[in-house]
């Protein structure tokens, strides 16, 4: 028999909660976004009340000495012996309800979990306004386990309140007492944990999780590092989450904030950006081992090594979350023409470019103007070609290009050479037009086309409004600015026998028009509506508008398949022109 990687340990719920209170078990997610719906928390307590099993917990020994530790702050923090790997939502639910602690929702707001219990029906519900007014219900069961609660007094208060509304029989009074006593006794509910040895690395832990978890949810390496931050540098993880929370809504006090109309990042995304900046790596497995303080040669843990690596991460994160850096970088996004969040097909690409931009600014001291220009070109190229979408390892390859770079000029030259190697004449003439043969709702080519129209200061089709103004994310209307319009309307195409949606919804059949025009066009034939629209403009204005939108003269008289092929070539040419405009 091979060596067993875990041991089985039995707990009661109360012992688990006590170990969380004293810091022996690390439960960082009590202050992280809680993904369970309230109904699932209700069902958890109902199962326990009825004596059903609720599954086991999976812990991981951290392998480091206990005691207290400090990372980059004067705050003393006890190092947990056990880190939760599987069961954190269950444990968070139990802790939040039985300790009366608020959880953090997906918008990073602190909210309590209130569950109600009907002792006579022995039924749980999520508390609502009607239940709060109904004397048949104990509206917040958290009070049962509060240290200040005297169980007998609470039961008597409930019986007196209900008895004031209607007569209670002795049998009902006894049932109420028994049901509430049984509910309180859930603190002694038995739970089993599997505790994985500290000698097991995070890749094996992830595999163990996947093999024993019925849903097969894959643990992400970023989750391991965020857990480590909770243990060894709680302030750092809190900074990430506070930043992400503030990025979602404008500051009510008009103070500087990370809010922006383009990105609402998650902590794990910003963590990756910090790792790329601090360690010039994207392999989180490598970073995770370093942050655990593991020497990659001896395989031994070292607190000194751990502290050194956390210090690197701390300094990198400070740069990533710096508001001046953050908002300066969005000028790169705007310069690249991606002026609307709907154009961004990969947040990962944007944040990876942010890491490269920070490396250029911090480590190579590149002139801000030149850095913005080259990084705007890089972002345009990376989004257009989906450079970082398929593989995160691609960024690590790009970071390796900086290994022997020493000057600002060399830094810029590296990215220019890479762009020349990717965006070749063959790419513009053959690859990109072929890539545009797609009907996706959001494609890299279509987004790059609209970005190019912004770069080239093009007008909206059949309008004197500019595309950049139409897509201004600060303007909020009932209709989305990025709603696309069929040049050959769908129902018109279906009337003439073209039924396939993949053909109807081709990128080449879409453009941006004002909403009033979109409604006016409706399902009419382009041979009917287009000549009417043309009458608004001079021949010179119309010629420029058609050239910018990749439309041949009298495009509406072309057979639809011929139109699609011709327009794909023209769209590719406009995208190329937009990129070359970025190059100056």
């Amino acid at each position: 028999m091979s060596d067993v990687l875990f041991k089985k340990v039995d707990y009661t719920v109360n012992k688990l909660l006590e170990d969380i209170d004293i810091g022996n078990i690390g439960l960082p997610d009590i202050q992280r976004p809680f993904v369970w719906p309230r109904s699932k928390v209700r069902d958890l307590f109902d199962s326990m009340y009825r004596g059903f099993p609720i599954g086991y917990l999976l812990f991981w020994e951290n392998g480091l000495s206990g005691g207290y530790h400090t990372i980059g702050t004067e705050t003393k923090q006890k190092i947990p012996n056990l880190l939760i790997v599987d069961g954190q939502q269950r444990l968070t639910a139990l802790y939040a309800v039985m300790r009366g602690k608020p959880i953090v929702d997906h918008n990073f707001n602190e909210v309590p979990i209130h569950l109600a219990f009907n002792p006579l029906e022995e039924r749980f519900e999520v508390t609502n306004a009607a239940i709060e007014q109904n004397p048949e219900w104990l509206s917040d069961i958290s009070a049962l386990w509060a240290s200040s609660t005297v169980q007998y007094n609470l039961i008597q208060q409930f019986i007196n309140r209900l008895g004031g509304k209607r007569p209670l029989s002795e049998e009902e009074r006894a049932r109420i007492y028994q049901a509430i006593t049984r509910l309180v006794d859930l603190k002694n509910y038995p739970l089993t944990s599997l505790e994985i040895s500290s000698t097991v690395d995070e890749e094996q832990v992830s595999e163990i999780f996947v093999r024993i978890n019925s849903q097969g949810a894959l643990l992400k390496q970023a989750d391991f590092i965020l857990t480590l931050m909770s243990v060894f540098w709680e302030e750092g993880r809190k900074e990430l989450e506070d930043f992400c929370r503030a990025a979602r809504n404008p500051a009510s006090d008009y103070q500087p904030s990370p809010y922006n109309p383009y990105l609402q990042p998650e902590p794990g995304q910003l963590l990756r950006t910090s790792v790329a900046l601090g360690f010039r790596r994207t392999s989180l497995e490598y970073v995770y081992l370093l942050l655990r303080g593991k020497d990659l040669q001896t395989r031994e843990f070292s607190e000194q090594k751990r502290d050194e690596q956390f210090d690197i991460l701390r300094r990198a994160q400070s740069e990533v979350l710096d508001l001046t850096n953050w908002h300066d970088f969005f000028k790169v996004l705007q310069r690249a023409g991606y002026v609307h969040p709907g154009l961004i097909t990969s947040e990962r690409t944007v944040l990876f470019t942010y890491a490269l931009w920070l490396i250029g600014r911090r480590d190579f001291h590149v002139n801000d103007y030149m850095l913005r220009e080259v990084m705007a070109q890089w972002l345009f190229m990376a989004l257009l070609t989906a450079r970082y979408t398929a593989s995160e390892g691609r960024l690590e390859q790009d970071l390796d290009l900086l290994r022997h770079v020493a000057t600002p000029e060399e830094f810029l030259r590296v990215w220019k050479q890479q762009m020349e190697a990717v965006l070749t004449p063959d790419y513009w003439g053959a690859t990109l037009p072929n890539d545009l043969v797609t009907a996706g709702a959001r494609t890299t080519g279509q987004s790059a086309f609209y970005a190019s129209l912004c770069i080239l200061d093009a007008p909206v089709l059949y309008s004197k409004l500019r595309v950049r103004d139409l897509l201004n994310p600060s303007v909020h209307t009932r209709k989305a600015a990025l709603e696309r319009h069929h040049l050959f309307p769908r129902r018109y195409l279906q009337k003439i026998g073209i039924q396939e949606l993949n053909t109807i919804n081709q990128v080449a059949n879409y453009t941006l028009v004002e909403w009033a025009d979109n409604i006016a066009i409706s399902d009419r034939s382009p041979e009917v509506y287009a000549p009417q629209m043309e009458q608004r403009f001079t021949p010179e204005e119309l010629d420029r508008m058609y050239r910018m939108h990749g439309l041949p003269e009298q495009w509406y008289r072309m057979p639809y398949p011929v139109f699609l092929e011709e327009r794909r070539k023209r769209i590719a040419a406009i995208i190329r022109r937009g990129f070359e405009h970025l190059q100056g």
Side-chain angles (χ1 to χ4, degrees):
M1 174 177 167
S2 60
D3 293 339
V4 177
L5 302 179
F6 66 93
K7 61 183 178 182
K8 182 176 78 71
V9 180
D10 293 326
Y11 288 92
T12 63
V13 167
N14 198 52
K15 179 64 167 65
L16 282 170
L17 301 187
E18 287 177 352
D19 281 359
I20 293 170
D21 285 333
I22 66 175
N24 188 51
I25 293 175
L27 183 63
D29 287 307
I30 190 62
Q31 292 301 324
R32 316 299 165 219
F34 183 70
V35 300
W36 267 15
R38 299 292 194 276
S39 59
K40 197 160 185 177
V41 181
R42 174 202 64 198
D43 294 345
L44 175 71
F45 275 83
D46 184 71
S47 294
M48 294 167 62
Y49 182 82
R50 301 185 189 289
F52 298 162
I54 61 170
Y56 49 81
L57 303 170
L58 188 63
F59 293 120
W60 187 12
E61 296 175 345
N62 75 39
L64 296 173
S65 60
Y68 290 82
H69 193 67
T70 302
I71 297 286
T73 161
E74 292 304 315
T75 304
K76 302 297 180 183
Q77 189 173 324
K78 191 176 189 301
I79 299 175
N81 293 324
L82 298 172
L83 307 178
I84 181 74
V85 174
D86 187 20
Q88 60 187 16
Q89 296 293 304
R90 277 169 288 159
L91 205 49
T92 299
L94 290 171
Y95 192 86
V97 173
M98 300 182 84
R99 287 292 190 262
K101 300 290 186 182
I103 53 91
V104 176
D105 65 13
H106 67 283
N107 288 321
F108 293 91
N109 297 316
E110 284 195 356
V111 291
I113 299 178
H114 292 315
L115 293 184
F117 180 66
N118 187 317
L120 290 174
E121 297 180 6
E122 296 185 276
R123 184 160 64 91
F124 293 87
E125 280 297 342
V126 178
T127 304
N128 56 40
I131 284 176
E132 288 178 337
Q133 301 301 318
N134 189 337
E136 301 276 347
W137 289 85
L138 189 63
S139 62
D140 185 6
I141 64 174
S142 296
L144 294 172
W145 298 286
S147 58
S148 59
T149 296
V150 177
Q151 181 179 326
Y152 176 80
N153 292 343
L154 187 146
I155 295 175
Q156 284 302 120
Q157 290 170 7
F158 178 85
I159 290 175
N160 292 339
R161 181 186 175 211
L162 181 56
K165 295 293 183 179
R166 67 172 179 84
L168 286 175
S169 66
E170 287 303 317
E171 187 266 340
E172 285 180 316
R173 292 172 184 268
R175 283 168 52 200
I176 290 171
Y177 184 86
Q178 292 170 358
I180 294 179
T181 300
R182 180 178 171 185
L183 176 56
V184 172
D185 199 46
L186 289 186
K187 64 185 179 181
N188 297 316
Y189 181 92
L191 280 170
T192 297
S193 77
L194 306 179
E195 298 180 1
I196 302 172
S197 168
S198 62
T199 60
V200 177
D201 63 35
E202 88 291 343
E203 188 173 347
Q204 289 176 294
V205 171
S206 183
E207 183 178 356
I208 291 170
F209 177 86
V210 171
R211 284 174 179 254
I212 65 177
N213 190 301
S214 60
Q215 296 180 352
L218 181 62
L219 281 180
K220 300 177 181 178
Q221 290 171 329
D223 295 334
F224 287 115
I225 297 180
L226 287 170
T227 298
L228 279 182
M229 291 180 72
S230 299
V231 174
F232 299 117
W233 185 31
E234 173 64 13
E235 179 184 339
R237 179 161 177 170
K238 185 176 185 300
E239 286 175 356
L240 283 177
E241 286 156 354
D242 288 347
F243 189 94
C244 292
R245 180 187 301 113
R248 278 162 166 71
N249 297 291
S252 57
D253 56 3
Y254 300 101
Q255 293 299 308
S257 92
Y259 173 75
N260 67 91
Y262 306 106
L263 290 178
Q264 295 182 350
E266 297 294 335
Q269 293 175 313
L270 294 179
L271 170 65
R272 288 181 176 276
T273 308
S274 301
V275 165
L277 174 62
F279 298 99
R280 302 276 181 90
R281 287 184 176 272
T282 57
S283 174
L284 294 187
E285 177 184 357
Y286 170 84
V287 176
Y288 176 82
L289 293 175
L290 288 179
L291 294 183
R292 283 188 75 195
K294 197 168 190 177
D295 189 295
L296 299 184
Q297 301 300 321
T298 66
R299 312 300 288 179
E300 297 294 328
F301 290 107
S302 163
E303 292 187 9
Q304 179 182 351
K305 186 76 171 176
R306 180 192 63 206
D307 293 354
E308 290 172 355
Q309 301 302 332
F310 261 106
D311 190 56
I312 293 173
L313 181 61
R314 179 178 58 81
R315 285 184 274 116
Q317 180 169 301
S318 176
E319 297 284 349
V320 169
L321 304 188
D322 180 87
L323 290 181
T324 299
N325 288 337
W326 181 246
H327 289 295
D328 278 356
F329 173 71
F330 286 117
K331 297 174 185 176
V332 172
L333 204 64
Q334 295 163 350
R335 179 72 179 102
Y338 287 80
V339 300
H340 189 281
L343 298 180
I344 298 171
T345 52
S346 168
E347 290 186 351
R348 175 194 295 173
T349 298
V350 174
L351 290 171
F352 279 0
T353 305
Y354 181 38
L356 297 177
W357 180 85
L358 284 169
I359 291 171
R361 171 178 271 197
R362 185 191 75 167
D363 298 345
F364 291 93
H365 308 290
V366 180
N367 171 274
D368 279 350
Y369 172 79
M370 293 302 300
L371 181 62
R372 181 173 66 236
E373 292 300 297
V374 173
M375 286 292 102
Q377 297 165 33
W378 184 263
L379 178 62
F380 188 100
M381 180 278 295
L383 284 170
L384 172 61
T385 61
R387 187 176 183 87
Y388 300 127
T389 303
S391 171
E392 296 179 4
R394 183 71 219 215
L395 177 62
E396 190 144 335
Q397 295 174 20
D398 289 340
L399 290 170
D400 283 342
L401 298 172
L402 299 176
R403 190 178 303 277
H404 302 295
V405 170
T407 68
E409 294 75 18
E410 291 172 345
F411 177 86
L412 296 177
R413 191 180 305 122
V414 161
W415 310 121
K416 291 179 180 179
Q417 290 172 345
Q418 287 297 303
M419 287 185 283
E420 289 175 4
V422 173
L423 302 180
T424 63
D426 283 345
Y427 175 82
W428 294 120
T431 304
L432 181 55
N434 288 335
D435 288 347
L436 293 172
V437 184
T438 179
R442 283 206 320 171
T443 67
T444 59
Q446 185 174 74
S447 290
F449 175 52
Y450 293 156
S452 297
L453 294 181
C454 293
I455 294 168
L456 298 171
D457 205 31
V460 176
L461 186 64
Y462 300 131
S463 170
K464 296 193 177 182
L465 184 71
R466 298 184 308 165
V467 171
R468 181 178 286 271
D469 295 331
L470 179 71
L471 298 182
N472 185 343
S474 65
V475 177
H476 300 282
T477 63
R478 293 180 64 186
K479 297 292 188 179
L482 204 54
E483 287 287 345
R484 304 172 300 169
H485 162 73
H486 289 90
L487 287 162
F488 285 75
R490 184 185 65 177
R491 290 185 181 174
Y492 163 76
L493 289 174
Q494 290 173 335
K495 286 178 183 177
I496 64 173
I498 299 174
Q499 304 293 332
E500 299 81 5
L501 289 180
N502 282 343
T503 302
I504 294 171
N505 294 332
Q506 284 281 308
V507 166
N509 192 29
Y510 280 116
T511 193
L512 296 173
V513 298
E514 292 192 58
W515 262 104
D517 289 337
N518 193 10
I519 294 171
I521 291 169
S522 185
D523 298 325
R524 293 190 295 163
S525 163
E527 287 192 74
V528 174
Y529 78 77
Q532 296 174 355
M533 298 285 189
E534 289 178 346
Q535 295 175 16
R536 302 173 178 177
F537 307 96
T538 67
E540 293 76 17
E541 288 174 328
L542 194 62
D543 177 66
R544 178 174 185 269
M545 184 181 297
Y546 277 173
R547 282 189 289 106
M548 298 300 287
H549 284 267
L551 293 170
E553 185 179 355
Q554 295 198 349
W555 59 269
Y556 41 84
R557 301 189 191 282
M558 300 174 69
Y560 183 61
V562 176
F563 164 80
L564 290 179
E565 184 175 358
E566 177 62 24
R567 191 163 189 247
R568 282 194 289 267
K569 296 175 185 176
R570 289 171 177 255
I571 288 175
I574 292 297
I575 296 173
R576 180 176 187 175
R577 183 177 167 190
F579 179 76
E580 289 174 348
H581 191 84
L582 280 180
Q583 292 180 306

